[in-house]
Amino acid sequence: MISLTNLTVAFGGTTLLNDINLHISEKDRIGLTGRNGAGKSTLLKLIVGEQHPTSGRVEVPQSVRIGYLPQVMQHHKGRTVLEETMTVFDDFFAMHRRVDEISAELASREDYDSKEYSALIVELNTLNDRLAMADGASPEVAAVKTLRGLGFRDNELGRATETFSQGWNMRIELAKILLRKPDVLLLDEPTNHLDIESIQWLEEYLQTFNGSMVLISHDRRFLDNTTNRTVEIMLGRIHDYKVPYSKYLVLRKERIEQQKAAYENQQRTIEKTEKFIEQFRYKPTKSNQVQSRIKALERMDRIELEVEDNSTLSVKFPPAPRSGDVAFKVNDATISYPDAPHKIILSDANIEIKRGEKVAFVGRNGEGKTTMMKTLMGALTPVKGSATVGYNVKIGYYAQNQEDVLDRNDTVYDTLDKIAVGDVRFRLRDILGAFLFRGEDIDKKVAVLSGGERARLSMARLMLEPYNLLALDEPTNHMDIRSKDVLKQALAKYDGTLIVVSHDRDFLSGLVSKIYEFGDGRVREHLGGVDDFLHRKKIESFDALERKAPAAAAGDRRQSGGEVRKSGGEEPSDVALKGDNGRSRPEHASASQMDRETRREMARLKNRLSNLEKAIAEIEGKMAEIEKVLSSPGEGDDIMELTRNYLEHKRELDIKMEEWASLAEKLDQ
């Protein structure tokens, strides 16, 4: 359907995409992956015609309708949310008006045999056919349904678009794209400004979307659930895998290992052949054999190892100076914005974060997570209660919208140089190098940086001073998957206090030890990591939690008037605490039942751990046997088959070792 042929894109002597070929067929659901700056967004811009290749061609049939959501866009102003969304139906309403005009004209004419009358009949039939093919649902109903799915409440549909943040305006543009029902969707990081409930809605929509799709995302789970093909851009080349992201990782590793094994085997063969040629080149009795082997070398299809992009962040936060025991404390705080004091964002909020704790703020967008971050930074003051930063606490803040923080006219180097003081000024190039800004990269203007590059630059700013509290608001937005993993490891080793706002479960898992849940103007505390939190809630993902949140919050307000609850275990529901006759059961019965469930779960984990240890020992034994054969292969040994079996065992061993480590960690806690 869409073809990219021998496509090359070069900027100032640097080749971004090098002679690539890609075909997008009907029903293809492609996840486009690669490092930040690899050319993913550029590829989408080439398809829609916003950029043009240095050489090669892009072929898009005229009949194909494309819906394109860029990473950064200009938003419309002067309309309400619903009015702006309804603009996608302008053609639909114009067709209805034209049908009314033609019908009125036909009713007033009597020249039934004229060409003009026949032409009007044909046009009327064509318009009616097009309207019949359109969705039978009312345009306004469809628009409201889509906006609700993307997180808008009914009372927000009448608000002006300019009163919403950039992220919310992005949702309006996404709603317009989906309502146009294109043949091909090109989505560049659509989940960056969505909360988990909206991500779930979009995921379900894309799973039922009938057209083709090319998706750029750094969300593993989202890619796995919405794509069936993965295209990797690496060092200007593309590698096409007909599988979702997780399976692509396995196949990619196998392909590279097999390629290396085949390359090494071929090099050994070449070395032996060349040694034979040199040894017997001048012996007449061996001349035929020598010539035969020379020709064999010439005919040999040489295996070339692909150059891998192994560059990665090198993040290590400076040691944190010692602060007071309590880093941040909120007591019965009611918080609103000065320009809208009547609109209460949070009521009777209580938070206590101690030195060295790693804490996550979770919940729907607009529920007060960023508001609490601004309160922490002193930009907001509670209208009731208090919010206090602890003794000697020095905060390093990463804002959600980097476009509002970074000066677009500064260079990468100037961004750090403007705020650096003391000896750190002599290490700015080293710091930028650790965040993959090298050579000419440091002279780039912020305006031309990709979203991921801006995220890395903002994170580099946190290296300039030894902060003892890091407040990170959606730090992984725009970051590629490898960079997210490196950042997570660095934060896990950080010895200061961490507060992070994120909807990325993979990022939070194993990183935080306490969660504050924001919903319906309240804050609730949950002890333990994100996996424990979800387990206690008996849900599989945050989206299920957020669907339950309104009902739970309403019940909490009736019981406690808004106080924070600590959730060391699952909170029993009204049904769980009552018998068939409606009398309340003792609460310790629920706790006892939970203890039994915990013991059963621990026994199950220990049994699984034992089975894994046996399986690991068995696999290692098989690998050792293959290694003995490979060290001195005989004439009848198939080296390639042995190598393939060895790699299969190694892949299986890696999977079981990873599961073993995860279970062992849970049992140690």
Side-chain angles (χ1 to χ4, degrees):
M1 186 165 54
I2 297 176
S3 294
L4 284 66
T5 307
N6 303 128
L7 205 68
T8 296
V9 177
F11 300 105
T14 301
T15 301
L16 184 65
L17 300 173
N18 186 16
D19 195 31
I20 66 170
N21 292 277
L22 179 67
H23 184 76
I24 303 169
S25 304
E26 292 183 13
K27 308 296 183 182
D28 268 347
R29 315 176 73 78
I30 299 173
L32 198 57
T33 187
R35 298 190 59 80
N36 291 132
K40 303 185 298 294
S41 297
T42 299
L43 195 62
L44 298 191
K45 291 175 183 177
L46 291 167
I47 294 174
V48 297
E50 287 192 4
Q51 285 186 212
H52 300 285
T54 307
S55 63
R57 64 183 187 275
V58 179
E59 297 173 330
V60 182
Q62 290 186 350
S63 60
V64 172
R65 296 171 299 165
I66 295 178
Y68 171 50
L69 181 75
Q71 200 174 116
V72 180
M73 67 187 73
Q74 296 295 321
H75 304 297
H76 301 280
K77 299 179 181 179
R79 298 190 185 101
T80 66
V81 171
L82 185 57
E83 287 171 348
E84 177 59 32
T85 307
M86 290 291 289
T87 59
V88 302
F89 297 108
D90 286 349
D91 290 342
F92 178 84
F93 292 129
M95 283 192 291
H96 270 291
R97 288 193 298 270
R98 181 57 181 158
V99 166
D100 293 339
E101 292 172 2
I102 294 174
S103 299
E105 187 173 351
L106 290 174
S108 65
R109 296 180 66 144
E110 297 181 355
D111 54 336
Y112 308 119
D113 297 328
S114 68
K115 291 182 179 180
E116 291 80 4
Y117 194 93
S118 297
L120 289 173
I121 293 292
V122 171
E123 184 181 356
L124 180 63
N125 289 335
T126 301
L127 289 171
N128 281 327
D129 288 343
R130 291 175 63 187
L131 289 171
M133 291 173 64
D135 191 354
S138 159
E140 184 168 343
V141 170
V144 170
K145 181 180 178 182
T146 304
L147 289 168
R148 283 174 179 167
L150 290 172
F152 286 96
R153 294 188 172 94
D154 288 346
N155 61 359
E156 295 173 328
L157 302 184
R159 277 177 53 187
T161 58
E162 55 264 33
T163 64
F164 287 90
S165 67
Q166 180 182 359
W168 284 96
N169 273 280
M170 186 279 291
R171 298 187 193 205
I172 298 172
E173 295 302 316
L174 178 56
K176 289 162 62 178
I177 289 170
L178 299 181
L179 287 166
R180 288 191 183 102
K181 297 186 177 179
D183 302 304
V184 180
L185 278 173
L186 306 179
L187 305 178
D188 193 348
E189 295 286 5
T191 63
N192 274 355
H193 297 288
L194 299 181
D195 53 48
I196 297 170
E197 184 176 314
S198 300
I199 291 174
Q200 174 69 17
W201 180 89
L202 178 61
E203 186 177 288
E204 292 172 354
Y205 176 91
L206 294 178
Q207 286 170 347
T208 59
F209 176 63
N210 288 324
S212 304
M213 178 180 70
V214 181
L215 168 68
I216 298 173
S217 178
H218 299 312
D219 186 324
R220 286 184 179 91
R221 187 175 303 177
F222 191 71
L223 285 169
D224 278 336
N225 291 339
T226 58
T227 64
N228 57 18
R229 179 179 167 193
T230 303
V231 174
E232 177 191 36
I233 302 180
M234 185 172 70
L235 298 173
R237 303 281 185 180
I238 67 168
H239 303 278
D240 199 343
Y241 299 81
K242 312 298 186 191
V243 293
Y245 185 82
S246 291
K247 291 184 179 178
Y248 139 78
L249 290 177
V250 176
L251 292 180
R252 178 182 186 273
K253 184 178 180 181
E254 289 179 353
R255 178 181 64 83
I256 291 174
E257 288 179 343
Q258 289 172 358
Q259 188 183 50
K260 287 180 178 177
Y263 173 81
E264 290 169 359
N265 286 334
Q266 189 182 68
Q267 289 301 305
R268 283 195 292 269
T269 300
I270 292 172
E271 185 180 352
K272 289 179 181 178
T273 303
E274 290 177 342
K275 186 176 180 181
F276 180 89
I277 293 170
E278 285 299 318
Q279 185 175 356
F280 300 108
R281 181 186 296 272
Y282 303 108
K283 288 194 175 182
T285 57
K286 298 284 188 179
S287 61
N288 289 338
Q289 295 179 46
V290 168
Q291 290 302 315
S292 175
R293 299 198 183 192
I294 290 174
K295 290 178 181 178
L297 283 182
E298 292 173 350
R299 290 193 303 266
M300 185 179 288
D301 187 10
R302 300 289 180 112
I303 298 172
E304 292 185 7
L305 284 180
E306 295 176 10
V307 179
E308 288 190 71
D309 184 1
N310 291 317
S311 58
T312 185
L313 300 183
S314 177
V315 182
K316 184 178 180 182
F317 291 95
R322 187 173 179 82
S323 67
D325 184 54
V326 177
F328 181 52
K329 188 168 185 177
V330 178
N331 283 326
D332 299 325
T334 297
I335 305 172
S336 65
Y337 282 87
D339 55 348
H342 61 283
K343 184 180 179 182
I344 302 299
I345 307 299
L346 293 169
S347 298
D348 301 319
N350 288 276
I351 291 176
E352 183 174 271
I353 300 173
K354 294 188 175 181
R355 181 182 65 244
E357 282 190 319
K358 293 181 170 61
V359 176
F361 290 172
V362 304
R364 290 181 72 250
N365 285 353
E367 293 289 357
K369 303 186 298 295
T370 299
T371 298
M372 185 58 74
M373 284 293 211
K374 291 180 178 178
T375 303
L376 167 67
M377 296 304 298
L380 289 176
T381 303
V383 296
K384 175 188 171 186
S386 64
T388 308
V389 175
Y391 171 74
N392 199 37
V393 170
K394 191 171 185 180
I395 304 172
Y397 180 49
Y398 178 98
Q400 183 177 155
N401 295 319
Q402 297 306 313
E403 293 81 4
D404 301 333
V405 177
L406 302 176
D407 190 331
R408 294 171 57 86
N409 297 316
D410 282 342
T411 65
V412 169
Y413 184 85
D414 290 341
T415 299
L416 267 59
D417 188 50
K418 284 170 64 173
I419 60 174
V421 294
D423 294 340
V424 75
R425 294 177 63 89
F426 301 107
R427 298 192 296 110
L428 294 185
R429 291 180 182 272
D430 293 336
I431 293 172
L432 289 170
F435 285 85
L436 306 184
F437 293 105
R438 295 162 184 157
E440 297 178 356
D441 290 341
I442 68 172
D443 296 321
K444 285 183 179 178
K445 294 280 188 181
V446 170
V448 304
L449 298 181
S450 68
E453 288 171 327
R454 293 185 190 189
R456 297 204 309 264
L457 180 58
S458 296
M459 199 60 65
R461 285 159 50 112
L462 297 180
M463 301 290 107
L464 299 183
E465 295 184 61
Y467 300 108
N468 50 26
L469 192 158
L470 293 178
L472 311 181
D473 195 350
E474 299 287 6
T476 61
N477 277 2
H478 305 293
M479 273 196 179
D480 60 57
I481 293 173
R482 196 187 304 182
S483 297
K484 285 201 300 186
D485 290 342
V486 172
L487 176 61
K488 178 179 176 178
Q489 292 169 14
L491 291 173
K493 296 176 182 176
Y494 173 61
D495 60 352
T497 308
L498 172 67
I499 303 174
V500 58
V501 176
S502 179
H503 59 249
D504 190 328
R505 176 180 172 177
D506 289 330
F507 181 73
L508 294 177
S509 181
L511 178 62
V512 300
S513 58
K514 186 162 67 175
I515 290 172
Y516 284 99
E517 174 195 350
F518 288 68
D520 288 312
R522 298 185 59 250
V523 185
R524 299 178 67 231
E525 181 184 80
H526 300 267
L527 301 179
V530 63
D531 294 327
D532 297 328
F533 168 61
L534 296 176
H535 178 70
R536 291 190 197 109
K537 289 286 184 179
K538 292 191 180 296
I539 56 176
E540 294 181 354
S541 59
F542 280 137
D543 59 274
L545 163 68
E546 291 171 351
R547 284 198 293 270
K548 294 179 182 178
D556 292 341
R557 283 196 296 272
R558 289 194 300 270
Q559 295 174 33
S560 62
E563 65 183 281
V564 172
R565 287 186 182 180
K566 292 191 177 183
S567 177
E570 184 188 357
E571 296 181 359
S573 65
D574 293 339
V575 175
L577 291 177
K578 291 188 178 181
D580 295 336
N581 59 2
R583 292 193 302 270
S584 295
R585 294 176 180 171
E587 292 190 21
H588 65 77
S590 177
S592 176
Q593 181 181 358
M594 185 178 298
D595 289 340
R596 288 196 298 272
E597 290 177 357
T598 301
R599 286 195 295 272
R600 283 198 295 268
E601 178 67 10
M602 292 293 287
R604 187 189 68 80
L605 291 178
K606 289 179 180 177
N607 185 50
R608 177 59 182 160
L609 198 69
S610 176
N611 291 336
L612 281 172
E613 289 170 350
K614 293 176 183 176
I616 288 169
E618 184 179 342
I619 295 170
E620 288 176 338
K622 292 178 180 178
M623 291 175 67
E625 291 176 5
I626 296 175
E627 286 173 354
K628 288 181 182 177
V629 178
L630 288 174
S631 63
S632 56
E635 291 184 2
D637 292 324
D638 188 338
I639 302 298
M640 291 302 293
E641 180 66 18
L642 287 168
T643 302
R644 188 186 67 78
N645 290 338
Y646 183 85
L647 293 174
E648 281 291 326
H649 289 317
K650 187 176 185 305
R651 182 174 68 84
E652 187 179 359
L653 179 65
D654 289 342
I655 293 171
K656 292 192 181 301
M657 286 296 294
E658 185 176 347
E659 184 182 356
W660 182 90
S662 176
L663 291 177
E665 184 179 353
K666 286 183 179 180
L667 289 169
D668 288 341
Q669 290 177 351

